[in-house]
Amino acid sequence: MREKILGILEKNARIDIRDLAVLLGESEVSVANEIAEMEKEHIICGYHTLINWDNTSQEKVTALIEVKVTPQRGMGFDKIAERIYQYNEVNAVYLMSGAYDFAVFIEGKTMKEVALFVSSKLSTLDSVLSTATHFVLKKYKDHGTELVEEIHDERMLVTP
Amino acid sequence: MRNPLSETIVRIQPSGIRKFFDIVSEMKDAISLGVGEPDFDTPWHVREEGIYSLEKGRTFYTSNSGLKELRSEICNYLYRSAGLTYQPESEILVTVGGSEAIDVALRAMLDPGDEVLIPQPCFVSYEPCTILAGGKPVAIRLEEKDNFRLTPEKLLEKITDRTKILIMPFPNNPTGAVMRREDLEPIARIVEEKDLFVLSDEIYSELTYGDKRHVSIASLPGMKDRTVLINGFSKTYAMTGWRLGYAAAPAVILKQMLKIHQFAIMCAPTTSQYAAVAALRDGDPDVEMMRESYDQRRRFVLHAFKEMGVDCFEPEGAFYAFPNISRFGLTSEEFANRLLREEKVAAVPGTAFGACGEGFLRVSYASSLKNLKEAFSRMSRFVERLDREAR
């Protein structure tokens, strides 16, 4: 049942528990319990809203920063990551395979703000060897959802 | 001027769906539960393959029976899904949708006066296609109490010396009924005993719910030689607009079907055929995802009918519910018309699928949850009103 609950919630976190129970053919209580369990186990880590900021008047800049680090003795990647992800400006941090170690997503009001954060906060960390900053120009799809346009049902109204 | 028309075609009534469509089209902002096709787009990797074939300039006719590659994939599919072994060279015909396969099969098999048994309620084209092929349609009225399955008794009742073909429209549009293996066995025995042939329309074969999967009657002992199996890509892979289906049949029947297809159609659309190869090769995860999504909405719809006190047979296949609305004292058509006018919800009257659909409504749940919720809240209001009127 967990996978099915997650499958639905991932797409629609606001779904009514009653509807969710009906869709899955389970009782409301057991669905609610399962969700509570998963929250406790940190399988469900939050219920966020997918916002296309481009359609608002608010200025926002997102950047992907490739970070190379040298893991130091007694301080593996996790510790370094922690020093990075504690910053509020940091939206996401992933440990990567390949040419660099961390992919860090940063959000700021302006490019300057982001650049300043990278040069003064990120690059100055002891373990950080180098950074490369890439600004996001346009988001087409995020969290499995196309941001570009609303989809219309173009089917004929009645068909055999 | 002489009458330019054929008596036969003039006598055939236009589809009841068409009539209802005209009424719905006039309504602004009606929510439609009348749609007989998936609400998914064709999976991108399938569309991409179609596009790629166009880029490559593959814009020529294929062989009459279809791309060899596709016929092979169809055989692979029939083997892995039903354990059936067909020869791609002589036993598979790729058609313009399942609909063409139905037409061609009937024309290949019927002589004037031959009778075709059509279990109803069912898809709209068997009857007219039978008539156009010179045959005589004989309806078998399926009943809710039998879970809309075909029973041996009902079958035997209608068999005469002229009976040649039995249509097996399962999983069924509009009822959602599915025939289990144990339901098929006695039917197969009768077919053999009475020396009949079966046209098994399995277009919804991948859309069954619960732990019971679709069983093809062709896979029962002795049946493959008597069965024209029809399937397609429309419902399984959400490819209705690509117009692609197929028939698998004994070589002796297929050869004649191919002849009609050759003269009337030439070949199925080439782009669609290339896309279909990708669908059969890599489309299983897509089908699984869509099936699960329909199943969730199926539960929602059944629950909603229960809440509003409308009896509804539990469909096990396709994406339709077929609620029994006879207790309201309206005909299906009256009910559907009032529902449309008063609440702007469109659902097809059961009678569009045969006279025995009277007292029922076809409700398609191939619609977004948001749409379904709104439609059912309106329907529930409507039903309450009807109940108040009755008091």
Side-chain angles (χ1 to χ4, degrees):
Chain A
M1 170 164 53
R2 285 191 161 192
E3 271 174 30
K4 295 202 166 157
I5 292 177
L6 292 174
I8 295 175
L9 282 183
E10 194 183 16
K11 297 241 167 64
N12 180 10
R14 291 185 69 200
I15 191 167
D16 196 297
I17 297 269
R18 252 178 317 171
D19 292 342
L20 187 55
V22 170
L23 290 177
L24 297 176
E26 304 279 351
S27 77
E28 235 175 283
V29 179
S30 61
V31 169
N33 284 342
E34 206 64 50
I35 291 177
E37 268 313 302
M38 288 194 284
E39 286 172 0
K40 223 186 280 169
E41 292 173 33
H42 244 255
I43 293 171
I44 295 176
C45 304
Y47 301 89
H48 297 76
T49 305
L50 183 59
I51 299 170
N52 185 1
W53 288 104
D54 290 351
N55 287 353
T56 69
S57 54
Q58 192 154 339
E59 285 292 326
K60 250 186 204 279
V61 181
T62 310
L64 159 66
I65 298 145
E66 303 174 1
V67 183
K68 283 188 194 161
V69 300
T70 35
Q72 286 161 8
R73 194 179 188 132
M75 191 174 162
F77 284 111
D78 294 356
K79 277 283 177 212
I80 307 171
E82 195 183 339
R83 300 205 57 175
I84 298 173
Y85 66 63
Q86 296 276 6
Y87 285 108
N88 281 336
E89 292 87 340
V90 173
N91 233 346
V93 178
Y94 306 138
L95 180 62
M96 310 296 287
S97 69
Y100 57 95
D101 301 305
F102 291 117
V104 179
F105 284 88
I106 291 184
E107 242 173 44
K109 283 202 183 65
T110 59
M111 283 199 185
K112 197 172 169 193
E113 192 182 289
V114 172
L116 210 66
F117 176 83
V118 174
S119 59
S120 65
K121 300 279 169 44
L122 213 50
S123 313
T124 53
L125 287 173
D126 281 346
S127 329
V128 171
L129 283 176
S130 69
T131 62
T133 304
H134 309 277
F135 286 100
V136 173
L137 300 182
K138 187 172 180 181
K139 283 188 190 176
Y140 297 97
K141 187 175 183 179
D142 207 355
H143 288 79
T145 305
E146 288 169 30
L147 304 177
V148 190
E149 254 172 75
E150 209 188 322
I151 298 149
H152 293 285
D153 192 344
E154 292 176 17
R155 297 176 297 168
M156 294 206 300
L157 290 171
V158 182
T159 42
Chain B
M1 195 166 66
R2 280 164 40 186
N3 179 0
L5 302 172
S6 126
E7 291 281 343
T8 314
I9 190 64
V10 171
R11 263 199 301 265
I12 292 175
Q13 291 300 308
S15 149
I17 297 242
R18 185 74 227 173
K19 192 169 134 200
F20 195 63
F21 174 80
D22 293 338
I23 304 173
V24 177
S25 303
E26 288 164 23
M27 291 293 262
K28 290 251 160 21
D29 55 76
I31 298 182
S32 182
L33 305 180
V35 187
E37 62 180 320
D39 62 334
F40 294 100
D41 289 335
T42 307
W44 176 251
H45 69 97
V46 176
R47 282 188 271 163
E48 212 281 329
E49 202 62 35
I51 294 167
Y52 181 69
S53 79
L54 289 174
E55 282 178 353
K56 280 275 177 186
R58 291 172 180 153
T59 54
F60 305 105
Y61 294 130
T62 67
S63 82
N64 293 131
S65 56
L67 277 178
K68 199 164 159 247
E69 227 178 328
L70 177 57
R71 280 179 283 137
S72 295
E73 286 300 335
I74 290 169
C75 289
N76 292 343
Y77 167 76
L78 290 173
Y79 183 73
R80 71 172 188 268
S81 65
L84 287 162
T85 313
Y86 284 99
Q87 297 308 317
E89 300 79 26
S90 56
E91 296 180 319
I92 302 291
L93 173 64
V94 179
T95 56
V96 180
S99 308
E100 192 220 345
I102 294 166
D103 179 38
V104 170
L106 289 170
R107 284 202 269 165
M109 294 166 81
L110 291 176
D111 278 318
D114 285 343
E115 291 177 3
V116 178
L117 299 178
I118 306 175
Q120 289 180 343
C122 68
F123 181 59
V124 296
S125 81
Y126 310 121
E127 199 173 285
C129 285
T130 297
I131 296 170
L132 289 172
K136 184 180 161 209
V138 177
I140 301 178
R141 300 171 71 100
L142 301 185
E143 288 180 83
E144 193 178 20
K145 69 169 174 57
D146 301 323
N147 295 319
F148 291 110
R149 293 179 195 156
L150 176 62
T151 62
E153 298 75 36
K154 286 208 179 293
L155 173 58
L156 283 169
E157 229 172 71
K158 297 286 180 174
I159 293 178
T160 71
D161 294 343
R162 294 307 311 263
T163 308
K164 186 161 188 191
I165 297 177
L166 166 65
I167 305 235
M168 286 292 281
F170 299 98
N172 183 272
N173 167 14
T175 64
V178 169
M179 295 280 284
R180 306 269 170 84
R181 181 175 295 277
E182 58 267 32
D183 303 312
L184 290 172
E185 278 161 355
I187 303 294
R189 272 197 295 277
I190 296 169
V191 165
E192 239 184 337
E193 205 174 290
K194 303 284 182 183
D195 197 10
L196 309 180
F197 296 93
V198 177
L199 191 159
S200 185
D201 184 351
E202 306 181 11
I203 194 83
Y204 291 97
S205 66
E206 286 296 329
L207 301 179
T208 60
Y209 313 108
D211 45 6
K212 289 283 183 281
R213 285 281 171 257
H214 166 73
V215 178
S216 172
I217 193 167
S219 67
L220 269 60
M223 277 301 106
K224 203 187 132 203
D225 291 343
R226 300 180 167 275
T227 304
V228 176
L229 186 163
I230 291 171
N231 208 326
F233 300 87
S234 298
K235 319 290 177 178
T236 308
Y237 302 102
M239 292 180 73
T240 44
W242 299 77
R243 305 311 305 124
L244 205 67
Y246 59 87
V252 48
I253 303 175
L254 200 103
K255 192 177 166 191
Q256 303 307 320
M257 290 171 64
L258 177 60
K259 213 154 69 182
I260 305 168
H261 174 80
Q262 180 178 84
F263 292 128
I265 305 285
M266 288 289 288
C267 70
T270 304
T271 313
S272 305
Q273 293 193 54
Y274 278 104
V277 172
L280 282 174
R281 271 189 198 149
D282 307 312
D284 287 0
D286 305 302
V287 178
E288 182 58 42
M289 180 278 289
M290 291 190 262
R291 184 192 297 125
E292 174 61 27
S293 168
Y294 291 133
D295 193 15
Q296 289 175 1
R297 290 177 273 174
R298 181 184 71 110
R299 291 192 199 108
F300 177 87
V301 164
L302 282 174
H303 178 82
F305 278 125
K306 202 164 152 199
E307 294 258 284
M308 69 173 85
V310 171
D311 290 333
C312 184
F313 156 75
E314 184 180 338
E316 296 184 317
F319 37 63
Y320 310 104
F322 205 57
N324 185 330
I325 46 131
S326 56
R327 76 172 170 90
F328 298 102
L330 300 172
T331 66
S332 297
E333 215 167 298
E334 284 165 353
F335 189 96
N337 282 335
R338 278 192 59 181
L339 179 60
L340 181 61
R341 285 187 208 295
E342 293 173 26
E343 295 292 347
K344 298 194 169 175
V345 174
V348 184
T351 41
F353 308 94
C356 63
E358 185 56 86
F360 296 89
L361 203 63
R362 188 191 76 172
V363 172
S364 163
Y365 50 83
S367 193
S368 69
L369 185 62
K370 192 172 152 223
N371 262 351
L372 289 174
K373 284 192 80 159
E374 176 59 28
F376 274 86
S377 103
R378 294 185 193 184
M379 213 187 300
S380 158
R381 197 161 59 199
F382 176 68
V383 163
E384 262 170 47
R385 192 158 58 240
L386 290 182
D387 278 338
R388 260 200 315 274
E389 279 173 21
R391 254 181 264 135

